[in-house]
Amino acid sequence: MTTQTIAFLNDAFLPIEEAHLSPLDRGFTFGDGVYEVIPVYNGRSFCLDAHLDRLNQSLNSIRMQPPYSHEKWTHILDTLVKKNGAGDQWIYVQVTRGIEPKREHQFPTQVIPTIFAVSYPKVYLTKAEQAKGIRVTAVTDIRWKLCHIKTASRLAYVLMNQEAKEAGFDEGIIMNTGYALEGTISNLFIVRHGVIYTPPKSTQLLHGITRDYILGLAEQHKIPYRESKISERDLLKADEMWITASTRPISPVIEFNGHTIGNGKAGPMWDRLWDLYAGQVNNLSMSVSN
Ligand code: PDD
């Protein structure tokens, strides 16, 4: 097995050190592009079609043509994962509006997109490790108005995440006019009296693949859930709180802004959803540890 990370750049596989981009790429100068992060368990990508659908939606939203079919992407990404040794990994995909010789803001007349992907080994946390829980704080929403697009322009998220980390927390919960929207790198759920709540889809938050997957599991197992606005008061009264993301599927939150959530431990609904999620992963002969 090679220890060298292999990347995919504009139709070629090559060592990451040899994957060079022009400084005139609009992804670099304007953050003019979109991306995806896809989990891989035991050599197999999880929810790949949903990630590719969202990639295409992001591209459509920024008025770019999807460069490849799902079939072609699947072949490229499977090959990439194999070249990087299979096992548990995460894949990063980025598509930008290509090179712009004179830094004009308007789109080039002929767009040749830059298409990049790379995958890295990943040690996914076990259930016992996740159960320890994380601490989060509120951060003020400083983003633009199209937060459903998974844009490569991540500066607002970087700044809000840094603010939370510098204050000693694991994640920041983005608050806008008294309502919680999502984390800086995750979606948000709370549980109250046996019902799961998550903010409804809108242009104010990313429509997380893990979020949808968990709601699908709740639906399938007849666990009551609602997509509704979550106020700061709701957060403080929650019996459980979790954040979700592809790279850290369901993390229980045990403290919000110094206030203990529930009894300060991962709750029973988290326990159940974790088992259901891990079960799905294992069913596909994958390896999220229990
Ligand atoms: N981010 N909301 C935001 C702002 C995010 O950045 C992410 C994930 C999510 C969760 O989406 P999903 O379930 O599809 O991973 C929600 C990724 C992991 C990242 O940028 O690294």
Side-chain angles (χ1 to χ4, degrees), residues 35 54 150 154 157 182 184-187 208-210 246:
Y35 78 103
R54 185 173 63 184
K150 205 161 169 61
R154 287 287 287 182
Y157 297 93
E182 60 180 334
T184 66
I185 49 169
S186 57
N187 287 114
I209 304 301
T210 323
S246 295

Side-chain angles (χ1 to χ4, degrees), residues 44-284:
R44 297 180 61 184
S45 47
F46 193 58
C47 299
L48 180 59
D49 277 340
H51 281 279
L52 294 175
D53 286 346
R54 185 173 63 184
L55 177 68
N56 286 353
Q57 282 155 15
S58 295
L59 286 165
N60 287 331
S61 303
I62 69 163
R63 296 167 57 191
M64 277 185 72
Q65 295 295 325
Y68 300 144
S69 65
H70 279 21
E71 205 184 0
K72 181 157 180 191
W73 267 125
T74 303
H75 177 69
I76 291 166
L77 298 180
D78 281 354
T79 308
L80 186 68
V81 165
K82 279 201 195 86
K83 284 182 184 286
N84 283 319
D88 289 353
Q89 300 186 13
W90 62 285
I91 303 170
Y92 181 84
V93 170
Q94 186 170 342
V95 181
T96 79
R97 212 182 306 270
I99 288 172
E100 176 59 65
K102 290 203 183 128
R103 202 182 169 278
E104 299 283 1
H105 276 66
Q106 74 189 64
F107 302 163
T109 20
Q110 207 210 343
V111 172
I112 302 169
T114 300
I115 305 165
F116 172 69
V118 66
S119 73
Y120 294 105
K122 165 105 182 143
V123 178
Y124 287 94
L125 295 181
T126 62
K127 185 176 183 185
E129 284 163 342
Q130 287 258 322
K132 289 180 191 149
I134 59 166
R135 299 165 59 246
V136 304
T137 187
V139 292
T140 302
D141 195 350
I142 56 169
R143 302 168 303 165
W144 71 335
K145 293 187 175 161
L146 301 174
C147 302
H148 61 298
I149 306 174
K150 205 161 169 61
T151 162
S153 324
R154 287 287 287 182
L155 186 54
Y157 297 93
V158 168
L159 292 175
M160 291 185 294
N161 186 272
Q162 185 66 20
E163 182 188 327
K165 295 282 164 60
E166 282 179 2
F169 293 92
D170 299 299
E171 170 66 309
I173 301 300
I174 304 173
M175 303 294 299
N176 191 315
T177 58
Y179 290 93
L181 295 169
E182 60 180 334
T184 66
I185 49 169
S186 57
N187 287 114
L188 173 72
F189 287 76
I190 59 169
V191 179
R192 173 90 171 143
H193 298 321
V195 181
I196 300 172
Y197 295 87
T198 193
K201 286 181 175 174
S202 73
T203 54
Q204 285 187 302
L205 56 92
L206 185 74
H207 305 170
I209 304 301
T210 323
R211 172 198 181 277
D212 284 0
Y213 198 82
I214 285 166
L215 292 184
L217 287 174
E219 177 85 38
Q220 204 184 327
H221 294 271
K222 303 198 169 22
I223 301 169
Y225 70 89
R226 288 199 194 114
E227 297 178 73
S228 67
K229 289 179 102 177
I230 296 177
S231 66
E232 184 157 359
R233 196 155 166 267
D234 296 329
L235 293 177
L236 296 174
K237 287 198 308 188
D239 300 325
E240 295 184 33
M241 189 184 295
W242 329 315
I243 58 163
T244 66
S246 295
T247 42
R248 202 183 157 129
I250 326 175
S251 298
V253 174
I254 54 169
E255 189 191 308
F256 170 73
N257 272 359
H259 168 96
T260 302
I261 302 298
N263 62 2
K265 295 202 169 88
M269 192 70 95
W270 171 78
D271 196 271
R272 183 157 181 217
L273 262 300
W274 170 276
D275 286 349
L276 290 173
Y277 185 92
Q280 294 293 319
V281 166
N282 288 330
N283 276 348
L284 297 164

